[in-house]
Short mmCIF file of all heavy atoms in Angstrom, two decimals:
data_model
loop_
_atom_site.label_atom_id
_atom_site.label_comp_id
_atom_site.label_asym_id
_atom_site.label_seq_id
_atom_site.Cartn_x
_atom_site.Cartn_y
_atom_site.Cartn_z
N SER A 10 0.81 -1.22 0.00
CA SER A 10 0.00 0.00 0.00
C SER A 10 0.84 1.27 0.00
O SER A 10 0.36 2.33 -0.40
CB SER A 10 -0.96 -0.01 1.20
OG SER A 10 -0.25 0.20 2.42
N ARG A 11 2.10 1.17 0.43
CA ARG A 11 2.94 2.37 0.43
C ARG A 11 3.21 2.87 -0.99
O ARG A 11 3.51 4.05 -1.18
CB ARG A 11 4.27 2.08 1.14
CG ARG A 11 4.14 1.91 2.64
CD ARG A 11 5.48 2.10 3.34
NE ARG A 11 6.40 1.01 3.03
CZ ARG A 11 6.55 -0.08 3.77
NH1 ARG A 11 5.80 -0.25 4.85
NH2 ARG A 11 7.42 -1.02 3.44
N TYR A 12 3.09 2.01 -1.97
CA TYR A 12 3.33 2.42 -3.36
C TYR A 12 2.15 3.16 -3.96
O TYR A 12 2.27 3.76 -5.03
CB TYR A 12 3.67 1.19 -4.22
CG TYR A 12 5.04 0.63 -3.93
CD1 TYR A 12 5.26 -0.20 -2.83
CD2 TYR A 12 6.12 0.95 -4.74
CE1 TYR A 12 6.53 -0.70 -2.54
CE2 TYR A 12 7.39 0.44 -4.46
CZ TYR A 12 7.58 -0.37 -3.35
OH TYR A 12 8.84 -0.86 -3.07
N ILE A 13 1.00 3.14 -3.28
CA ILE A 13 -0.20 3.75 -3.84
C ILE A 13 -0.77 4.82 -2.92
O ILE A 13 -1.98 5.06 -2.88
CB ILE A 13 -1.26 2.67 -4.16
CG1 ILE A 13 -1.48 1.72 -2.99
CG2 ILE A 13 -0.83 1.88 -5.39
CD1 ILE A 13 -2.59 0.70 -3.22
N ARG A 14 0.13 5.46 -2.18
CA ARG A 14 -0.30 6.63 -1.43
C ARG A 14 -0.74 7.73 -2.40
O ARG A 14 -0.38 7.71 -3.58
CB ARG A 14 0.82 7.08 -0.51
CG ARG A 14 1.04 6.12 0.67
CD ARG A 14 2.22 6.49 1.54
NE ARG A 14 3.51 6.20 0.91
CZ ARG A 14 4.66 6.09 1.59
NH1 ARG A 14 4.65 6.22 2.92
NH2 ARG A 14 5.78 5.84 0.96
N PRO A 15 -1.52 8.72 -1.94
CA PRO A 15 -2.15 9.67 -2.86
C PRO A 15 -1.19 10.40 -3.79
O PRO A 15 -1.60 10.81 -4.89
CB PRO A 15 -2.84 10.66 -1.90
CG PRO A 15 -3.13 9.86 -0.68
CD PRO A 15 -1.97 8.92 -0.54
N ASP A 16 0.07 10.57 -3.40
CA ASP A 16 1.01 11.29 -4.26
C ASP A 16 1.98 10.36 -4.98
O ASP A 16 2.99 10.83 -5.52
CB ASP A 16 1.78 12.33 -3.45
CG ASP A 16 2.60 11.72 -2.31
OD1 ASP A 16 2.35 10.54 -1.97
OD2 ASP A 16 3.47 12.43 -1.76
N GLU A 17 1.68 9.05 -4.99
CA GLU A 17 2.57 8.11 -5.68
C GLU A 17 1.82 7.43 -6.83
O GLU A 17 1.18 8.10 -7.64
CB GLU A 17 3.16 7.12 -4.68
CG GLU A 17 4.07 7.79 -3.65
CD GLU A 17 4.88 6.82 -2.83
OE1 GLU A 17 5.39 5.83 -3.40
OE2 GLU A 17 5.00 7.04 -1.59
N LEU A 18 1.87 6.13 -6.93
CA LEU A 18 1.30 5.42 -8.07
C LEU A 18 -0.20 5.18 -7.88
O LEU A 18 -0.70 5.21 -6.76
CB LEU A 18 2.03 4.10 -8.27
CG LEU A 18 3.54 4.23 -8.50
CD1 LEU A 18 4.20 2.85 -8.53
CD2 LEU A 18 3.84 5.00 -9.78
N GLN A 19 -0.86 4.92 -9.00
CA GLN A 19 -2.30 4.69 -8.93
C GLN A 19 -2.63 3.26 -8.47
O GLN A 19 -3.62 3.05 -7.78
CB GLN A 19 -2.93 4.94 -10.32
CG GLN A 19 -3.04 6.40 -10.69
CD GLN A 19 -1.68 7.03 -11.01
OE1 GLN A 19 -0.76 6.35 -11.47
NE2 GLN A 19 -1.56 8.32 -10.77
N GLN A 20 -1.78 2.28 -8.84
CA GLN A 20 -2.06 0.90 -8.50
C GLN A 20 -0.76 0.15 -8.20
O GLN A 20 0.32 0.55 -8.62
CB GLN A 20 -2.77 0.18 -9.67
CG GLN A 20 -4.16 0.68 -9.96
CD GLN A 20 -4.85 -0.16 -11.03
OE1 GLN A 20 -4.21 -0.81 -11.85
NE2 GLN A 20 -6.17 -0.13 -11.03
N SER A 21 -0.92 -0.97 -7.50
CA SER A 21 0.18 -1.91 -7.29
C SER A 21 -0.41 -3.31 -7.33
O SER A 21 -1.50 -3.55 -6.79
CB SER A 21 0.87 -1.67 -5.94
OG SER A 21 1.96 -2.56 -5.77
N PHE A 22 0.27 -4.22 -8.00
CA PHE A 22 -0.24 -5.59 -8.08
C PHE A 22 -0.35 -6.20 -6.69
O PHE A 22 0.57 -6.09 -5.87
CB PHE A 22 0.66 -6.46 -8.94
CG PHE A 22 0.54 -6.18 -10.42
CD1 PHE A 22 1.65 -5.85 -11.16
CD2 PHE A 22 -0.68 -6.26 -11.05
CE1 PHE A 22 1.55 -5.60 -12.52
CE2 PHE A 22 -0.80 -6.00 -12.40
CZ PHE A 22 0.32 -5.68 -13.15
N ASN A 23 -1.46 -6.89 -6.48
CA ASN A 23 -1.73 -7.54 -5.20
C ASN A 23 -1.31 -9.01 -5.31
O ASN A 23 -2.12 -9.89 -5.56
CB ASN A 23 -3.22 -7.41 -4.88
CG ASN A 23 -3.58 -8.03 -3.55
OD1 ASN A 23 -2.70 -8.39 -2.76
ND2 ASN A 23 -4.87 -8.19 -3.30
N PHE A 24 -0.02 -9.26 -5.13
CA PHE A 24 0.48 -10.62 -5.30
C PHE A 24 0.09 -11.54 -4.15
O PHE A 24 0.20 -12.77 -4.26
CB PHE A 24 2.00 -10.60 -5.46
CG PHE A 24 2.43 -9.95 -6.76
CD1 PHE A 24 3.30 -8.86 -6.74
CD2 PHE A 24 1.96 -10.40 -7.97
CE1 PHE A 24 3.70 -8.27 -7.93
CE2 PHE A 24 2.35 -9.82 -9.16
CZ PHE A 24 3.22 -8.74 -9.15
N GLN A 25 -0.39 -10.97 -3.04
CA GLN A 25 -0.88 -11.82 -1.96
C GLN A 25 -2.06 -12.66 -2.44
O GLN A 25 -2.22 -13.81 -2.04
CB GLN A 25 -1.28 -10.97 -0.74
CG GLN A 25 -0.11 -10.51 0.12
CD GLN A 25 0.71 -9.41 -0.54
OE1 GLN A 25 0.17 -8.60 -1.29
NE2 GLN A 25 2.00 -9.37 -0.26
N TRP A 26 -2.87 -12.09 -3.31
CA TRP A 26 -4.01 -12.83 -3.85
C TRP A 26 -3.52 -13.94 -4.77
O TRP A 26 -3.98 -15.07 -4.71
CB TRP A 26 -4.94 -11.88 -4.59
CG TRP A 26 -6.14 -12.50 -5.23
CD1 TRP A 26 -6.36 -12.74 -6.56
CD2 TRP A 26 -7.32 -12.98 -4.56
NE1 TRP A 26 -7.57 -13.33 -6.76
CE2 TRP A 26 -8.20 -13.49 -5.55
CE3 TRP A 26 -7.71 -13.04 -3.23
CZ2 TRP A 26 -9.44 -14.04 -5.25
CZ3 TRP A 26 -8.96 -13.58 -2.93
CH2 TRP A 26 -9.79 -14.07 -3.92
N LEU A 27 -2.57 -13.63 -5.63
CA LEU A 27 -2.01 -14.62 -6.54
C LEU A 27 -1.36 -15.78 -5.78
O LEU A 27 -1.45 -16.94 -6.21
CB LEU A 27 -1.00 -13.93 -7.47
CG LEU A 27 -0.26 -14.75 -8.52
CD1 LEU A 27 0.11 -13.85 -9.71
CD2 LEU A 27 1.03 -15.35 -7.97
N GLU A 28 -0.71 -15.48 -4.68
CA GLU A 28 0.04 -16.49 -3.94
C GLU A 28 -0.82 -17.29 -2.97
O GLU A 28 -0.35 -18.28 -2.39
CB GLU A 28 1.19 -15.83 -3.18
CG GLU A 28 2.27 -15.24 -4.09
CD GLU A 28 3.36 -14.51 -3.32
OE1 GLU A 28 3.01 -13.84 -2.32
OE2 GLU A 28 4.53 -14.61 -3.70
N ALA A 29 -2.07 -16.90 -2.78
CA ALA A 29 -2.93 -17.60 -1.81
C ALA A 29 -3.25 -19.01 -2.30
O ALA A 29 -3.51 -19.23 -3.48
CB ALA A 29 -4.22 -16.81 -1.59
N GLU A 30 -3.24 -19.96 -1.39
CA GLU A 30 -3.60 -21.33 -1.72
C GLU A 30 -5.10 -21.43 -1.92
O GLU A 30 -5.86 -20.50 -1.61
CB GLU A 30 -3.16 -22.27 -0.60
CG GLU A 30 -3.82 -21.97 0.73
CD GLU A 30 -3.32 -22.82 1.87
OE1 GLU A 30 -2.49 -23.72 1.63
OE2 GLU A 30 -3.76 -22.60 3.01
N TRP A 31 -5.55 -22.57 -2.48
CA TRP A 31 -6.97 -22.79 -2.67
C TRP A 31 -7.61 -23.07 -1.32
O TRP A 31 -7.66 -24.19 -0.82
CB TRP A 31 -7.21 -23.96 -3.63
CG TRP A 31 -8.66 -24.27 -3.82
CD1 TRP A 31 -9.33 -25.35 -3.33
CD2 TRP A 31 -9.63 -23.48 -4.51
NE1 TRP A 31 -10.66 -25.29 -3.68
CE2 TRP A 31 -10.87 -24.15 -4.41
CE3 TRP A 31 -9.57 -22.28 -5.21
CZ2 TRP A 31 -12.03 -23.66 -4.99
CZ3 TRP A 31 -10.73 -21.78 -5.79
CH2 TRP A 31 -11.94 -22.46 -5.67
N SER A 32 -8.08 -22.02 -0.67
CA SER A 32 -8.56 -22.13 0.71
C SER A 32 -9.45 -20.94 1.01
O SER A 32 -9.07 -19.79 0.75
CB SER A 32 -7.37 -22.16 1.67
OG SER A 32 -7.71 -21.74 2.96
N ALA A 33 -10.63 -21.20 1.55
CA ALA A 33 -11.52 -20.11 1.94
C ALA A 33 -10.87 -19.23 3.00
O ALA A 33 -11.01 -18.00 2.99
CB ALA A 33 -12.83 -20.68 2.46
N GLU A 34 -10.15 -19.87 3.91
CA GLU A 34 -9.47 -19.10 4.97
C GLU A 34 -8.41 -18.19 4.38
O GLU A 34 -8.31 -17.01 4.74
CB GLU A 34 -8.84 -20.05 5.97
CG GLU A 34 -8.12 -19.36 7.11
CD GLU A 34 -7.47 -20.33 8.07
OE1 GLU A 34 -7.55 -21.55 7.83
OE2 GLU A 34 -6.87 -19.88 9.06
N ALA A 35 -7.62 -18.72 3.43
CA ALA A 35 -6.57 -17.91 2.81
C ALA A 35 -7.18 -16.76 2.02
O ALA A 35 -6.70 -15.62 2.09
CB ALA A 35 -5.69 -18.78 1.92
N PHE A 36 -8.23 -17.03 1.24
CA PHE A 36 -8.86 -15.98 0.46
C PHE A 36 -9.43 -14.90 1.37
O PHE A 36 -9.29 -13.70 1.11
CB PHE A 36 -9.97 -16.57 -0.42
CG PHE A 36 -9.48 -17.37 -1.60
CD1 PHE A 36 -10.34 -18.24 -2.25
CD2 PHE A 36 -8.18 -17.26 -2.07
CE1 PHE A 36 -9.91 -18.99 -3.34
CE2 PHE A 36 -7.73 -18.00 -3.15
CZ PHE A 36 -8.60 -18.86 -3.80
N GLY A 37 -10.11 -15.31 2.42
CA GLY A 37 -10.69 -14.33 3.33
C GLY A 37 -9.64 -13.46 3.99
O GLY A 37 -9.83 -12.24 4.14
N ARG A 38 -8.51 -14.08 4.38
CA ARG A 38 -7.44 -13.32 5.00
C ARG A 38 -6.87 -12.28 4.03
O ARG A 38 -6.64 -11.12 4.40
CB ARG A 38 -6.34 -14.27 5.47
CG ARG A 38 -5.17 -13.56 6.17
CD ARG A 38 -4.20 -14.56 6.77
NE ARG A 38 -3.61 -15.42 5.75
CZ ARG A 38 -3.91 -16.71 5.58
NH1 ARG A 38 -4.83 -17.30 6.34
NH2 ARG A 38 -3.31 -17.42 4.64
N VAL A 39 -6.64 -12.68 2.78
CA VAL A 39 -6.07 -11.74 1.81
C VAL A 39 -7.05 -10.61 1.52
O VAL A 39 -6.64 -9.44 1.43
CB VAL A 39 -5.70 -12.48 0.51
CG1 VAL A 39 -5.29 -11.48 -0.57
CG2 VAL A 39 -4.56 -13.46 0.75
N ILE A 40 -8.31 -10.92 1.38
CA ILE A 40 -9.31 -9.87 1.13
C ILE A 40 -9.31 -8.85 2.27
O ILE A 40 -9.26 -7.63 2.04
CB ILE A 40 -10.71 -10.49 0.95
CG1 ILE A 40 -10.77 -11.26 -0.38
CG2 ILE A 40 -11.78 -9.40 0.99
CD1 ILE A 40 -12.03 -12.10 -0.53
#
């Protein structure tokens, strides 16, 4: 989130979602 502060970039890839295992618990935690 530090890369998308109001005076920096518009977006940053959320690799935590990509790296999450197939798991409701993992998905919920990342969200």
Side-chain angles (χ1 to χ4, degrees):
S10 71
R11 289 199 292 266
Y12 288 80
I13 49 176
R14 288 175 287 199
D16 60 345
E17 295 191 41
L18 302 173
Q19 285 72 29
Q20 294 185 336
S21 182
F22 286 124
N23 182 11
F24 293 124
Q25 281 73 31
W26 179 254
L27 180 152
E28 293 177 322
E30 61 184 356
W31 177 253
S32 156
E34 180 181 2
F36 287 163
R38 181 173 61 253
V39 172
I40 290 170

